[in-house]
Amino acid sequence: QVQLVESGGGLVQAGDSLRLSCAASGSIFSIYTMGWYRRAPGKQRELVARIASGGSATYADSVKGRFTISRDDAKNTVYLQMNSLKPEDTAVYYCNADRLYGNSRSNFWGQGTQVIVSS
């Protein structure tokens, strides 16, 4: 089991920055692929960014060049640095831990943190 707790959301203006954090506990953090997802009002949840255990990262096209995902395995924490925020970034942001080992998958979600970007 992995417990995930997000923090860092809030209300900001367009162009501002925020850094989200996700603290993990309960298992070996470093073996999980960690991801940030978001759900905007009236929309489905979508992948924002993901970082593998080796550190390689992927991003949604909508956030490339503005968001950076990173992880600190010593602190069991993954971050999402969000710069040049836009109103369309408004969403609840969720942290995810995922591990596929053979035919077994372990997948965990945090409770989410709200980000509101005003124009």
Side-chain angles (χ1 to χ4, degrees):
Q1 287 287 333
V2 176
Q3 294 78 43
L4 303 172
V5 179
E6 302 98 333
S7 61
L11 172 62
V12 297
Q13 293 187 332
D16 285 351
S17 297
L18 274 178
R19 189 175 81 156
L20 306 183
S21 299
C22 172
S25 61
S27 188
I28 304 173
F29 176 81
S30 62
I31 64 175
Y32 284 84
T33 292
M34 300 302 298
W36 286 98
Y37 291 73
R38 67 187 181 187
R39 178 178 283 144
K43 296 186 178 181
Q44 291 187 334
R45 186 167 54 194
E46 63 175 357
L47 174 68
V48 175
R50 185 164 49 206
I51 185 166
S53 58
S56 62
T58 57
Y59 298 91
D61 287 344
S62 59
V63 307
K64 282 181 181 177
R66 299 189 298 122
F67 291 10
T68 302
I69 189 171
S70 61
R71 64 191 297 160
D72 186 336
D73 290 347
K75 295 182 178 180
N76 285 4
T77 301
V78 62
Y79 305 97
L80 184 68
Q81 178 66 43
M82 305 186 294
N83 298 329
S84 302
L85 282 161
K86 303 176 181 180
E88 51 264 43
D89 295 317
T90 294
V92 178
Y93 284 71
Y94 297 90
C95 181
N96 175 264
D98 184 70
R99 181 182 181 232
L100 182 61
Y101 184 78
N103 292 324
S104 177
R105 172 167 240 123
S106 298
N107 192 273
F108 305 96
W109 292 93
Q111 82 290 349
T113 185
Q114 176 77 59
V115 172
I116 299 174
V117 184
S118 65
S119 57

